[in-house]
Amino acid sequence: MTMLLSALYRYPLKSCRAQALSQSQLDVRGLPQDREWMIANSAGVQITARTEPRILLICAEVTPDGLWLKAPGMADLFVALAQFNELHQADVWETEFLARRGALDADAWLSAYLNQSVHLMWLGLEPHRRLKNHPDVAISFVDTYPLLIIGEGSLQALNARVGRELSMLRFRPNLVIANSAPFAEDTWQRIRIGEVEIELAKPCERCLMTTLDPETAERTKDSEPLRSLAKFRKIGAAVVFGQNARVVQSGALQLGLPVEVLSYKA
C-alpha cells in the first residue's frame, strides 16, 4: 500500500496540547508557530511537562496578533504579541539565545495555574538565532530538530508489546505516516511528501513524558510505554522511538499526500 501523510500536528506552546492541522506550509524552521512560545523560570530556562505535567492540558490557539491560552479551571486569556516587549535570555537544553517576554497577564495566569512563578516567552517576529545541529538553520523552542516523524506501523508494533492501545500523541510527532512497516522510518534517509523534501537526521530519545496521558496528564502506573521501549528500542543508554528530521525543500503539506522514500540510510 502507498504510504500517506495521515496526521499533522503542531504545539504552539512547548509541551501544550497538540493542534491537529489538515494542511500547512513547511519550511526549514518546521511548521509555522510550532513551539514559538514556551514557559520558563526567571532565568529563562525552559519548564516543560517533564516536570510539570499539567502543561499538557493547556490549549494554545494562535491568532494573527496573539495567542489564546485555555486550561482547566482557568478563565481564557488572550495574550497580544505587542505585550512581549522585553528581550531576555532563553535556555533550552543549555542552548542559550535571546527571546521575548513581558506579557505580565500571561505570566500571572501561568503562575497561578502551575502554582509557581513562571514567565511566558515568545520567539518574536524577528527571532534571534538559536542554532543547534545545523549552523545555517535557526530553530524554535523545539528540543533538537524542527520535525519529528513517526510511522503508524511503529506505534502498532509498540502497542502490541504493551498490550493496550496508546495514543500517538504521547510521542508528540509533527508528521505521522500511514501504511508504513514497523520502524521503517529508522531506515529512511530522505523522503518526499508532495513538493516537500525531508531529511531524517537521528532517532528521537525518549523520556518520562511518554508515560503521561495527553488527555489527563496522569502518569501510567506501569511506566508504559517507556518500559516496553527499553526492552527493544535502545541505542546505548538511550531509549528511542521516531525520527528527528529537517526540511531540505520547503513547500505545502496536506493530509493524504503520498510519501516517497528517496534514499535509505547506509
Side-chain angles (χ1 to χ4, degrees):
M1 297 177 66
T2 302
M3 294 190 296
L4 303 172
L5 179 64
S6 59
L8 190 58
Y9 298 108
R10 70 180 178 188
Y11 312 83
L13 173 67
K14 188 176 178 69
S15 281
C16 77
R17 281 192 183 278
Q19 182 179 30
L21 305 173
S22 60
Q23 59 186 9
S24 178
Q25 288 295 123
L26 189 65
D27 62 26
V28 293
R29 288 185 59 195
L31 290 164
Q33 289 89 46
D34 185 38
R35 281 160 281 210
E36 282 201 2
W37 289 264
M38 79 168 183
I39 301 170
N41 64 18
S42 59
V45 179
Q46 66 174 352
I47 297 174
T48 73
R50 291 174 179 83
T51 57
E52 295 293 338
R54 294 181 69 219
I55 298 176
L56 288 174
L57 306 183
I58 298 175
C59 178
E61 298 177 1
V62 181
T63 74
D65 55 354
L67 185 75
W68 279 100
L69 295 176
K70 304 177 182 181
M74 302 292 293
D76 297 353
L77 179 71
F78 179 72
V79 188
L81 298 183
Q83 296 180 42
F84 294 90
N85 53 18
E86 173 191 344
L87 280 175
H88 194 280
Q89 181 172 283
D91 186 328
V92 179
W93 297 118
E94 299 182 350
T95 302
E96 297 180 351
F97 56 104
L98 291 177
R100 291 188 170 273
R101 71 182 197 187
L104 300 183
D105 289 347
D107 293 350
W109 190 93
L110 288 164
S111 296
Y113 178 67
L114 296 175
N115 196 31
Q116 62 173 299
S117 179
V118 299
H119 298 271
L120 181 62
M121 303 196 73
W122 176 47
L123 284 177
L125 292 175
E126 297 180 0
H128 293 253
R129 292 175 65 80
R130 177 196 171 204
L131 305 175
K132 184 70 175 177
N133 298 292
H134 295 273
D136 57 332
V137 178
I139 57 175
S140 67
F141 293 128
V142 295
D143 280 356
T144 53
Y145 281 84
L147 294 177
L148 176 61
I149 297 175
I150 302 177
E152 290 183 0
S154 303
L155 180 62
Q156 291 165 3
L158 174 59
N159 283 342
R161 284 177 173 260
V162 174
R164 63 179 184 272
E165 293 296 313
L166 296 175
S167 168
M168 180 66 83
L169 290 179
R170 283 181 180 266
F171 305 96
R172 303 181 71 76
N174 295 112
L175 280 64
V176 179
I177 311 300
N179 304 326
S180 59
F183 311 110
E185 60 269 27
D186 293 350
T187 68
W188 302 339
Q189 182 179 54
R190 185 172 292 203
I191 61 174
R192 179 187 291 130
I193 308 175
E195 59 190 1
V196 175
E197 290 189 18
I198 298 170
E199 180 182 84
L200 286 80
K202 64 185 292 289
C204 181
E205 297 184 20
R206 292 304 180 172
C207 67
L208 287 173
M209 270 189 69
T210 61
T211 67
L212 297 173
D213 186 327
E215 296 300 319
T216 66
E218 294 179 357
R219 198 175 302 279
T220 55
K221 295 181 180 179
D222 57 4
S223 298
E224 293 290 7
L226 201 58
R227 184 173 68 174
S228 290
L229 282 172
K231 294 177 181 178
F232 78 114
R233 296 286 300 169
K234 291 189 76 173
I235 298 177
V239 178
V240 299
F241 187 77
Q243 287 286 321
N244 290 299
R246 69 186 188 101
V247 178
V248 294
Q249 177 62 53
S250 302
L253 287 180
Q254 65 180 34
L255 299 186
L257 282 175
V259 178
E260 177 187 1
V261 180
L262 300 178
S263 61
Y264 292 88
K265 295 175 181 175

